[in-house]
Amino acid sequence: MGFTNHSWFQPPTLFLTGIPGLEAVQIWISIPLCIMYLITFLGNCTILFVIKSTSSLHEPQYMFLSMLAGTDLDLSLSTLPTVLKVFLLNHREIEFHSCLTQMFFIHTFSSMESAILLAMAFDRFVAICNPLLYTVVLTPPRIIGMGIAAVVRGVVLMVPLPVLLQRLSFCKDVILSHCYCYHPDVMKLACGPVRVNIIYGLSLVLCSFGVDSMFFVISYILILKTVMSIASEDGQLKAFNTCASHIFTVCIFYVPLIVLALIHRFGTFTSPLLHVTMANLFLLLTPVLNPLVYSLKTKQIRSAVHKVFKSRGNLLK
Protein backbone atom coordinates (compact mmCIF):
# COMPACT_ATOMS: atom_id res chain seq x y z
CA MET A 1 0.00 0.00 0.00
CA GLY A 2 2.90 2.32 0.70
CA PHE A 3 3.86 2.40 -3.00
CA THR A 4 0.44 3.08 -4.53
CA ASN A 5 1.25 6.75 -5.17
CA HIS A 6 4.44 5.96 -7.08
CA SER A 7 5.15 4.70 -10.56
CA TRP A 8 7.26 1.59 -10.64
CA PHE A 9 9.93 1.68 -13.35
CA GLN A 10 13.59 1.25 -14.16
CA PRO A 11 14.89 4.83 -14.06
CA PRO A 12 16.77 6.25 -17.07
CA THR A 13 18.90 8.30 -14.68
CA LEU A 14 19.86 8.43 -11.02
CA PHE A 15 20.97 11.49 -9.08
CA LEU A 16 24.26 11.65 -7.21
CA THR A 17 24.86 13.57 -3.98
CA GLY A 18 27.90 15.52 -2.84
CA ILE A 19 28.49 16.28 0.85
CA PRO A 20 25.22 17.07 2.69
CA GLY A 21 25.12 20.63 4.03
CA LEU A 22 28.21 21.74 2.11
CA GLU A 23 26.68 22.19 -1.34
CA ALA A 24 27.56 25.91 -1.40
CA VAL A 25 31.30 25.24 -1.07
CA GLN A 26 31.60 22.04 -3.09
CA ILE A 27 33.67 23.81 -5.78
CA TRP A 28 36.29 24.46 -3.07
CA ILE A 29 36.03 20.86 -1.87
CA SER A 30 36.94 19.80 -5.41
CA ILE A 31 40.44 21.28 -4.94
CA PRO A 32 41.61 18.84 -2.20
CA LEU A 33 39.83 16.04 -4.07
CA CYS A 34 41.80 16.82 -7.23
CA ILE A 35 45.01 16.92 -5.16
CA MET A 36 44.14 13.51 -3.65
CA TYR A 37 43.58 11.99 -7.09
CA LEU A 38 46.83 13.53 -8.35
CA ILE A 39 48.76 12.07 -5.41
CA THR A 40 47.07 8.71 -5.98
CA PHE A 41 48.06 8.54 -9.64
CA LEU A 42 51.59 9.90 -9.18
CA GLY A 43 52.27 7.78 -6.08
CA ASN A 44 50.98 4.48 -7.40
CA CYS A 45 52.48 4.99 -10.87
CA THR A 46 55.82 5.74 -9.20
CA ILE A 47 55.57 2.53 -7.16
CA LEU A 48 54.81 0.52 -10.31
CA PHE A 49 57.60 2.14 -12.33
CA VAL A 50 60.22 1.81 -9.60
CA ILE A 51 59.44 -1.86 -8.94
CA LYS A 52 59.46 -2.67 -12.67
CA SER A 53 62.74 -0.84 -13.35
CA THR A 54 64.65 -2.00 -10.23
CA SER A 55 65.81 -5.62 -10.43
CA SER A 56 66.48 -5.82 -6.67
CA LEU A 57 62.75 -5.25 -6.08
CA HIS A 58 61.67 -8.23 -8.19
CA GLU A 59 60.83 -10.12 -5.01
CA PRO A 60 57.49 -11.52 -3.81
CA GLN A 61 56.61 -8.74 -1.36
CA TYR A 62 57.24 -6.04 -3.97
CA MET A 63 55.37 -7.96 -6.64
CA PHE A 64 52.37 -7.98 -4.31
CA LEU A 65 52.92 -4.26 -3.66
CA SER A 66 52.81 -3.58 -7.40
CA MET A 67 49.52 -5.50 -7.59
CA LEU A 68 48.17 -3.34 -4.75
CA ALA A 69 49.29 -0.15 -6.52
CA GLY A 70 47.62 -1.26 -9.76
CA THR A 71 44.37 -2.07 -7.96
CA ASP A 72 44.43 1.31 -6.18
CA LEU A 73 44.79 3.03 -9.56
CA ASP A 74 41.84 1.10 -10.99
CA LEU A 75 39.72 1.81 -7.91
CA SER A 76 40.46 5.53 -8.19
CA LEU A 77 39.65 5.56 -11.90
CA SER A 78 36.31 3.93 -11.08
CA THR A 79 35.24 6.81 -8.82
CA LEU A 80 37.00 9.70 -10.58
CA PRO A 81 34.43 10.51 -13.34
CA THR A 82 31.41 10.99 -11.08
CA VAL A 83 33.26 12.51 -8.09
CA LEU A 84 34.79 15.31 -10.15
CA LYS A 85 31.62 15.72 -12.22
CA VAL A 86 29.60 16.36 -9.04
CA PHE A 87 32.08 18.64 -7.28
CA LEU A 88 33.55 20.50 -10.27
CA LEU A 89 30.57 20.72 -12.64
CA ASN A 90 27.66 20.22 -10.24
CA HIS A 91 26.40 17.60 -12.70
CA ARG A 92 24.56 15.03 -10.61
CA GLU A 93 22.83 12.84 -13.17
CA ILE A 94 24.12 9.38 -14.07
CA GLU A 95 22.49 6.97 -16.50
CA PHE A 96 21.13 3.85 -14.78
CA HIS A 97 23.27 1.28 -16.61
CA SER A 98 26.35 3.49 -16.29
CA CYS A 99 25.67 3.54 -12.55
CA LEU A 100 25.50 -0.26 -12.46
CA THR A 101 28.75 -0.48 -14.43
CA GLN A 102 30.54 1.89 -12.04
CA MET A 103 29.14 -0.02 -9.07
CA PHE A 104 30.44 -3.31 -10.50
CA PHE A 105 33.97 -1.96 -10.96
CA ILE A 106 34.08 -0.27 -7.54
CA HIS A 107 33.06 -3.47 -5.74
CA THR A 108 35.25 -5.69 -7.94
CA PHE A 109 38.40 -3.66 -7.33
CA SER A 110 37.57 -3.45 -3.60
CA SER A 111 37.34 -7.25 -3.48
CA MET A 112 40.61 -7.54 -5.41
CA GLU A 113 42.33 -5.16 -2.99
CA SER A 114 41.17 -7.25 -0.04
CA ALA A 115 42.49 -10.43 -1.69
CA ILE A 116 45.86 -8.81 -2.46
CA LEU A 117 46.17 -7.55 1.12
CA LEU A 118 45.53 -11.14 2.25
CA ALA A 119 48.25 -12.37 -0.12
CA MET A 120 50.61 -9.78 1.39
CA ALA A 121 49.73 -11.08 4.87
CA PHE A 122 50.60 -14.59 3.68
CA ASP A 123 53.89 -13.24 2.32
CA ARG A 124 54.77 -11.76 5.73
CA PHE A 125 53.69 -14.98 7.47
CA VAL A 126 56.02 -17.12 5.34
CA ALA A 127 58.89 -14.60 5.59
CA ILE A 128 58.76 -14.50 9.41
CA CYS A 129 57.48 -17.95 10.40
CA ASN A 130 59.15 -20.06 7.68
CA PRO A 131 61.98 -17.97 6.19
CA LEU A 132 63.85 -21.00 4.81
CA LEU A 133 60.84 -21.92 2.67
CA TYR A 134 60.19 -18.37 1.44
CA THR A 135 61.62 -18.73 -2.07
CA VAL A 136 60.22 -22.25 -2.36
CA VAL A 137 56.65 -21.31 -1.44
CA LEU A 138 56.39 -17.91 -3.11
CA THR A 139 57.61 -18.65 -6.63
CA PRO A 140 56.82 -16.22 -9.50
CA PRO A 141 54.22 -18.57 -11.10
CA ARG A 142 52.50 -18.98 -7.72
CA ILE A 143 52.45 -15.22 -7.14
CA ILE A 144 50.97 -14.64 -10.61
CA GLY A 145 48.39 -17.34 -9.86
CA MET A 146 47.40 -15.57 -6.65
CA GLY A 147 46.97 -12.32 -8.58
CA ILE A 148 44.79 -14.03 -11.19
CA ALA A 149 42.75 -15.67 -8.43
CA ALA A 150 42.11 -12.24 -6.88
CA VAL A 151 40.81 -10.93 -10.23
CA VAL A 152 38.65 -13.99 -10.92
CA ARG A 153 37.16 -13.97 -7.42
CA GLY A 154 36.30 -10.29 -7.65
CA VAL A 155 34.64 -10.60 -11.06
CA VAL A 156 32.71 -13.79 -10.29
CA LEU A 157 31.39 -12.52 -6.95
CA MET A 158 30.40 -9.07 -8.22
CA VAL A 159 28.74 -9.94 -11.56
CA PRO A 160 25.41 -10.87 -9.88
CA LEU A 161 25.13 -7.44 -8.19
CA PRO A 162 24.08 -5.43 -11.27
CA VAL A 163 22.13 -8.40 -12.65
CA LEU A 164 20.02 -8.64 -9.48
CA LEU A 165 19.45 -4.88 -9.41
CA GLN A 166 18.20 -4.80 -13.01
CA ARG A 167 15.26 -7.04 -12.15
CA LEU A 168 13.96 -4.50 -9.59
CA SER A 169 11.54 -1.61 -10.03
CA PHE A 170 12.38 1.84 -8.69
CA CYS A 171 10.32 4.78 -7.49
CA LYS A 172 10.66 8.34 -8.74
CA ASP A 173 13.10 10.81 -7.18
CA VAL A 174 15.91 8.26 -7.18
CA ILE A 175 18.63 10.14 -5.27
CA LEU A 176 21.79 8.35 -4.17
CA SER A 177 23.62 9.11 -0.94
CA HIS A 178 27.09 9.34 -2.49
CA CYS A 179 28.86 10.88 -5.46
CA TYR A 180 29.30 7.41 -6.99
CA CYS A 181 27.23 4.23 -7.19
CA TYR A 182 27.48 1.90 -4.21
CA HIS A 183 25.43 -1.32 -4.08
CA PRO A 184 23.59 -0.91 -0.72
CA ASP A 185 22.81 2.69 -1.68
CA VAL A 186 21.28 1.78 -5.07
CA MET A 187 19.42 -1.19 -3.58
CA LYS A 188 17.64 1.01 -1.02
CA LEU A 189 15.97 2.98 -3.83
CA ALA A 190 14.02 -0.05 -5.06
CA CYS A 191 10.25 -0.12 -4.50
CA GLY A 192 9.89 -3.87 -4.80
CA PRO A 193 11.16 -6.69 -2.56
CA VAL A 194 14.95 -6.77 -2.20
CA ARG A 195 15.27 -9.85 0.01
CA VAL A 196 17.37 -11.71 -2.57
CA ASN A 197 19.66 -8.69 -3.01
CA ILE A 198 20.11 -8.34 0.76
CA ILE A 199 20.89 -12.04 1.22
CA TYR A 200 23.37 -12.09 -1.66
CA GLY A 201 25.01 -8.84 -0.54
CA LEU A 202 25.47 -10.15 3.00
CA SER A 203 26.76 -13.52 1.72
CA LEU A 204 29.20 -11.70 -0.55
CA VAL A 205 30.57 -9.61 2.32
CA LEU A 206 30.98 -12.68 4.54
CA CYS A 207 32.54 -14.85 1.81
CA SER A 208 35.05 -12.25 0.63
CA PHE A 209 35.84 -9.51 3.15
CA GLY A 210 34.76 -11.64 6.13
CA VAL A 211 36.91 -14.63 5.17
CA ASP A 212 39.85 -12.38 4.28
CA SER A 213 39.73 -10.54 7.61
CA MET A 214 39.56 -13.85 9.49
CA PHE A 215 42.74 -15.06 7.76
CA PHE A 216 44.39 -11.67 8.45
CA VAL A 217 43.80 -12.18 12.15
CA ILE A 218 45.04 -15.80 12.06
CA SER A 219 48.16 -14.81 10.10
CA TYR A 220 49.13 -12.06 12.51
CA ILE A 221 48.43 -14.17 15.58
CA LEU A 222 50.92 -16.72 14.23
CA ILE A 223 53.35 -13.95 13.26
CA LEU A 224 53.08 -12.39 16.73
CA LYS A 225 53.68 -15.79 18.33
CA THR A 226 56.83 -16.28 16.22
CA VAL A 227 58.11 -12.74 16.86
CA MET A 228 57.67 -13.04 20.63
CA SER A 229 59.78 -16.20 20.57
CA ILE A 230 62.74 -14.26 19.15
CA ALA A 231 65.27 -13.81 21.90
CA SER A 232 66.74 -10.40 21.04
CA GLU A 233 64.72 -7.20 21.29
CA ASP A 234 66.35 -5.87 18.12
CA GLY A 235 65.20 -8.97 16.27
CA GLN A 236 61.64 -8.47 17.48
CA LEU A 237 61.62 -4.80 16.43
CA LYS A 238 63.01 -5.69 13.01
CA ALA A 239 60.33 -8.34 12.51
CA PHE A 240 57.56 -5.98 13.62
CA ASN A 241 58.93 -3.26 11.34
CA THR A 242 58.56 -5.51 8.28
CA CYS A 243 54.83 -5.81 9.04
CA ALA A 244 54.09 -2.23 10.09
CA SER A 245 53.27 -0.87 6.62
CA HIS A 246 50.98 -3.79 5.83
CA ILE A 247 49.14 -3.59 9.17
CA PHE A 248 48.51 0.14 8.65
CA THR A 249 47.27 -0.49 5.09
CA VAL A 250 44.87 -3.19 6.30
CA CYS A 251 43.52 -0.86 9.00
CA ILE A 252 42.87 2.10 6.67
CA PHE A 253 41.12 -0.26 4.24
CA TYR A 254 39.03 -2.34 6.65
CA VAL A 255 38.00 0.08 9.41
CA PRO A 256 36.02 2.44 7.10
CA LEU A 257 34.67 -0.60 5.18
CA ILE A 258 33.31 -2.23 8.35
CA VAL A 259 31.84 1.05 9.65
CA LEU A 260 30.25 1.75 6.25
CA ALA A 261 28.73 -1.74 6.08
CA LEU A 262 27.26 -1.36 9.57
CA ILE A 263 25.86 2.08 8.76
CA HIS A 264 24.12 0.87 5.61
CA ARG A 265 22.56 -2.10 7.39
CA PHE A 266 21.79 -0.77 10.87
CA GLY A 267 22.36 2.99 10.84
CA THR A 268 18.89 4.20 9.86
CA PHE A 269 19.11 7.20 12.17
CA THR A 270 22.76 8.13 11.65
CA SER A 271 23.78 11.41 10.05
CA PRO A 272 24.06 11.43 6.21
CA LEU A 273 27.40 13.16 6.70
CA LEU A 274 28.71 10.06 8.49
CA HIS A 275 27.64 7.87 5.54
CA VAL A 276 29.51 10.10 3.10
CA THR A 277 32.60 10.45 5.28
CA MET A 278 33.06 6.70 5.78
CA ALA A 279 32.46 5.96 2.09
CA ASN A 280 34.99 8.59 1.02
CA LEU A 281 37.57 7.36 3.53
CA PHE A 282 37.15 3.83 2.19
CA LEU A 283 37.29 4.61 -1.54
CA LEU A 284 39.29 7.84 -1.80
CA LEU A 285 41.75 7.91 1.10
CA THR A 286 43.13 4.36 0.90
CA PRO A 287 44.63 4.72 -2.63
CA VAL A 288 46.25 8.00 -1.52
CA LEU A 289 47.83 6.66 1.66
CA ASN A 290 49.10 3.29 0.40
CA PRO A 291 51.97 4.64 -1.77
CA LEU A 292 52.85 7.25 0.86
CA VAL A 293 52.99 4.64 3.63
CA TYR A 294 55.15 2.21 1.67
CA SER A 295 57.41 4.96 0.31
CA LEU A 296 58.04 6.43 3.76
CA LYS A 297 58.16 3.18 5.73
CA THR A 298 60.02 0.84 3.37
CA LYS A 299 63.72 1.64 3.06
CA GLN A 300 64.15 -0.37 -0.15
CA ILE A 301 61.36 1.58 -1.87
CA ARG A 302 62.76 4.91 -0.70
CA SER A 303 66.25 4.02 -1.94
CA ALA A 304 64.94 2.77 -5.28
CA VAL A 305 62.84 5.91 -5.82
CA HIS A 306 65.85 8.10 -5.00
CA LYS A 307 68.12 6.17 -7.40
CA VAL A 308 65.59 6.20 -10.24
CA PHE A 309 64.92 9.92 -10.02
CA LYS A 310 68.60 10.69 -9.52
CA SER A 311 69.52 8.74 -12.65
CA ARG A 312 66.70 10.44 -14.61
CA GLY A 313 67.95 13.82 -13.41
CA ASN A 314 71.49 13.04 -14.56
CA LEU A 315 70.22 12.05 -18.01
CA LEU A 316 68.42 15.39 -18.36
CA LYS A 317 71.57 17.40 -17.59
Side-chain angles (χ1 to χ4, degrees), residues 40-116:
T40 296
F41 295 135
L42 289 177
N44 286 291
C45 286
T46 299
I47 293 286
L48 288 169
F49 177 75
V50 166
I51 292 175
K52 182 179 183 299
S53 60
T54 308
S55 58
S56 62
L57 297 182
H58 294 174
E59 298 179 2
Q61 74 175 103
Y62 303 112
M63 292 176 70
F64 287 128
L65 178 57
S66 65
M67 292 180 190
L68 183 67
T71 305
D72 281 336
L73 281 173
D74 292 330
L75 185 58
S76 295
L77 287 172
S78 299
T79 61
L80 176 66
T82 54
V83 171
L84 295 188
K85 187 169 68 172
V86 168
F87 286 97
L88 277 177
L89 306 176
N90 197 28
H91 186 192
R92 300 176 181 275
E93 294 185 2
I94 181 171
E95 194 270 332
F96 180 69
H97 292 94
S98 297
C99 180
L100 295 185
T101 301
Q102 184 189 45
M103 181 197 72
F104 167 76
F105 282 114
I106 287 175
H107 287 280
T108 297
F109 290 128
S110 297
S111 174
M112 287 171 54
E113 178 141 352
S114 178
I116 292 168

Side-chain angles (χ1 to χ4, degrees), residues 184-205:
D185 196 26
V186 178
M187 181 181 66
K188 287 180 179 179
L189 300 178
C191 296
V194 292
R195 183 178 179 84
V196 173
N197 301 70
I198 292 173
I199 292 173
Y200 184 77
L202 181 60
S203 301
L204 186 151
V205 169

Side-chain angles (χ1 to χ4, degrees), residues 35 47 62 116 158 224 289 304:
I35 293 173
I47 293 286
Y62 303 112
I116 292 168
M158 301 306 167
L224 180 62
L289 291 180

Side-chain angles (χ1 to χ4, degrees), residues 55 143 146 154 157 163 168 174 192 248 285 309:
S55 58
I143 293 169
M146 293 168 76
L157 288 178
V163 174
L168 298 175
V174 279
F248 184 78
L285 191 61
F309 282 101

Side-chain angles (χ1 to χ4, degrees), residues 8-285:
W8 287 27
F9 70 114
Q10 191 175 89
T13 56
L14 300 174
F15 295 89
L16 303 163
T17 302
I19 300 179
L22 299 178
E23 290 82 2
V25 295
Q26 67 181 19
I27 187 65
W28 298 107
I29 297 174
S30 68
I31 296 174
L33 287 175
C34 289
I35 293 173
M36 288 175 66
Y37 277 113
L38 183 62
I39 293 173
T40 296
F41 295 135
L42 289 177
N44 286 291
C45 286
T46 299
I47 293 286
L48 288 169
F49 177 75
V50 166
I51 292 175
K52 182 179 183 299
S53 60
T54 308
S55 58
S56 62
L57 297 182
H58 294 174
E59 298 179 2
Q61 74 175 103
Y62 303 112
M63 292 176 70
F64 287 128
L65 178 57
S66 65
M67 292 180 190
L68 183 67
T71 305
D72 281 336
L73 281 173
D74 292 330
L75 185 58
S76 295
L77 287 172
S78 299
T79 61
L80 176 66
T82 54
V83 171
L84 295 188
K85 187 169 68 172
V86 168
F87 286 97
L88 277 177
L89 306 176
N90 197 28
H91 186 192
R92 300 176 181 275
E93 294 185 2
I94 181 171
E95 194 270 332
F96 180 69
H97 292 94
S98 297
C99 180
L100 295 185
T101 301
Q102 184 189 45
M103 181 197 72
F104 167 76
F105 282 114
I106 287 175
H107 287 280
T108 297
F109 290 128
S110 297
S111 174
M112 287 171 54
E113 178 141 352
S114 178
I116 292 168
L117 288 173
L118 177 59
M120 295 173 79
F122 179 69
D123 169 82
R124 293 299 83 205
F125 166 75
V126 177
I128 293 174
C129 299
N130 297 283
L132 297 179
L133 297 177
Y134 187 71
T135 55
V136 176
V137 174
L138 291 169
T139 60
R142 195 163 289 168
I143 293 169
I144 294 171
M146 293 168 76
I148 294 173
V151 175
V152 171
R153 187 190 77 164
V155 172
V156 170
L157 288 178
M158 301 306 167
V159 162
L161 291 182
V163 174
L164 290 172
L165 284 173
Q166 286 193 83
R167 70 183 181 85
L168 298 175
S169 295
F170 292 78
C171 299
K172 292 182 179 179
D173 301 325
V174 279
I175 302 174
L176 299 167
S177 303
H178 306 295
C179 49
Y180 40 77
C181 296
Y182 192 65
H183 176 257
D185 196 26
V186 178
M187 181 181 66
K188 287 180 179 179
L189 300 178
C191 296
V194 292
R195 183 178 179 84
V196 173
N197 301 70
I198 292 173
I199 292 173
Y200 184 77
L202 181 60
S203 301
L204 186 151
V205 169
L206 293 175
C207 292
S208 56
F209 301 109
V211 171
D212 290 349
S213 60
M214 180 182 69
F215 281 113
F216 284 136
V217 173
I218 293 172
S219 297
Y220 275 102
I221 288 174
L222 295 174
I223 288 172
L224 180 62
K225 182 179 178 182
T226 301
V227 170
M228 296 309 294
S229 66
I230 298 174
S232 67
E233 186 175 337
D234 289 341
Q236 291 179 353
L237 290 174
K238 185 178 179 180
F240 276 126
N241 191 53
T242 63
C243 300
S245 300
H246 182 254
I247 292 173
F248 184 78
T249 301
V250 169
C251 289
I252 62 176
F253 178 80
Y254 266 93
V255 171
L257 173 62
I258 292 170
V259 174
L260 185 61
L262 292 174
I263 286 173
H264 272 289
R265 281 166 177 79
F266 308 111
T268 308
F269 304 103
T270 56
S271 166
L273 185 59
L274 182 60
H275 286 235
V276 174
T277 302
M278 286 298 107
N280 289 343
L281 285 175
F282 169 51
L283 291 177
L284 304 182
L285 191 61

